[in-house]
Amino acid sequence: MFGASFKSRWLTAVVGLPVLFAAVWAGGWVLAVLVAAAAVVGMREYFAMCGRPGPALETAGLALGAVAVGSAVAGGWPVFVACLGVALWLEQFAFLGRFARGDETAPPRGTLVAALLYIPFSLRFLCLFPALETVFVLAVVMAADTGAYFAGHLVGGPKVWPAVSPGKTRAGTAGGILAAALVAAAFAAFAPTDVYALAGCGAVLAVVSQLGDFFESALKRAAGVKDSGALLPGHGGILDRIDGLLPAILAYAAMRPLLGLG
């Protein structure tokens, strides 16, 4: 029923997950380097779908993305904000040069800043959370994705939003929410947080992660591509793997005070 794509997905998970969780356990620069690499690849895929800003600007943007993630370990939020400012003005100055040459009169679109806010801004939180909380977010989002995958294939039925993502079903959404809530609740064994609050948090993260999935699906359809890239067998590109994780990280960061964690 699941075919070769299913096998490729699980082989990729078997190889990649130990590396990911080892980096989370190590923390510090080990985790930051891995997250920065993911952010750089994700930004390249984003530029490919949304329009490349030119070789020089793209290279600068990717470097700023790596620095933005690294600022979680050294430099803090002032460095991240500085990266946004540099990205903004690099694009403004590039526009100024093109305008002076008569090459272009359309105003700049803020592509670099959008890419930094979309990917590194979210991912850098993985380097800021305590290791257990990072594992919690990753596990819940993975559970939501896996639950949706199996429920969608086994049950099928009406689609959630066919104009954006024709393959996603309501059964898959329900399966993802249930799986995320159960996995989240299991973390009550490791943290002094109410099991029902954790389950609710898991359900919210599942919903938010699906919205992130829908957003990236819309980007791909607008760009006329099936996957954001081909780096991960069975998954496509980095963005295909972390599209739901990006907004879920931010949602979790906002909910931490409600869970008594910050």
Side-chain angles (χ1 to χ4, degrees):
M1 177 183 291
F2 297 104
S5 175
F6 173 78
K7 294 179 181 178
S8 296
R9 286 171 68 96
W10 283 101
L11 284 173
T12 300
V14 167
V15 173
L17 287 181
V19 174
L20 173 60
F21 285 110
V24 171
W25 180 263
W29 282 109
V30 175
L31 179 59
V33 168
L34 181 65
V35 172
V40 167
V41 176
M43 289 176 68
R44 279 184 56 83
E45 294 173 356
Y46 176 78
F47 291 141
M49 291 187 291
C50 297
R52 297 195 177 280
L57 278 181
E58 182 169 340
T59 300
L62 297 179
L64 289 170
V67 172
V69 172
S71 70
V73 178
W77 288 108
V79 173
F80 181 83
V81 173
C83 288
L84 293 178
V86 171
L88 174 68
W89 282 104
L90 282 177
E91 199 162 4
Q92 309 289 57
F93 290 145
F95 159 74
L96 180 61
R98 294 193 304 271
F99 185 85
R101 294 190 303 270
D103 295 339
E104 181 180 325
T105 57
R109 296 181 298 170
T111 303
L112 297 190
V113 172
L116 287 171
L117 290 174
Y118 178 35
I119 304 166
F121 176 65
S122 293
L123 289 181
R124 76 187 297 277
F125 278 94
L126 296 180
C127 304
L128 296 173
F129 296 147
L132 180 61
E133 293 184 48
T134 298
V135 171
F136 173 82
V137 176
L138 293 173
V140 167
V141 173
M142 289 177 189
D145 183 61
T146 303
Y149 183 84
F150 278 105
H153 279 78
L154 294 173
V155 178
K159 308 300 182 182
V160 179
W161 202 350
V164 176
S165 184
K168 289 183 173 52
T169 65
R170 296 177 187 175
T173 296
I177 293 173
L178 177 60
L182 291 174
V183 168
F187 275 79
F190 308 101
T193 306
D194 181 74
V195 63
Y196 298 107
L198 287 174
C201 177
V204 170
L205 295 187
V207 172
V208 172
S209 70
Q210 180 151 115
L211 292 174
D213 198 338
F214 278 130
F215 173 73
E216 201 240 353
S217 293
L219 285 182
K220 289 188 292 187
R221 290 172 69 82
V225 297
K226 180 179 182 295
D227 297 315
S228 66
L231 181 65
L232 303 174
H235 293 283
I238 284 289
L239 281 182
D240 293 319
R241 181 67 278 174
I242 66 171
D243 51 2
L245 178 64
L246 294 173
I249 292 171
L250 299 182
Y252 176 74
M255 285 189 290
R256 288 184 76 240
L258 300 177
L259 297 172
L261 298 172

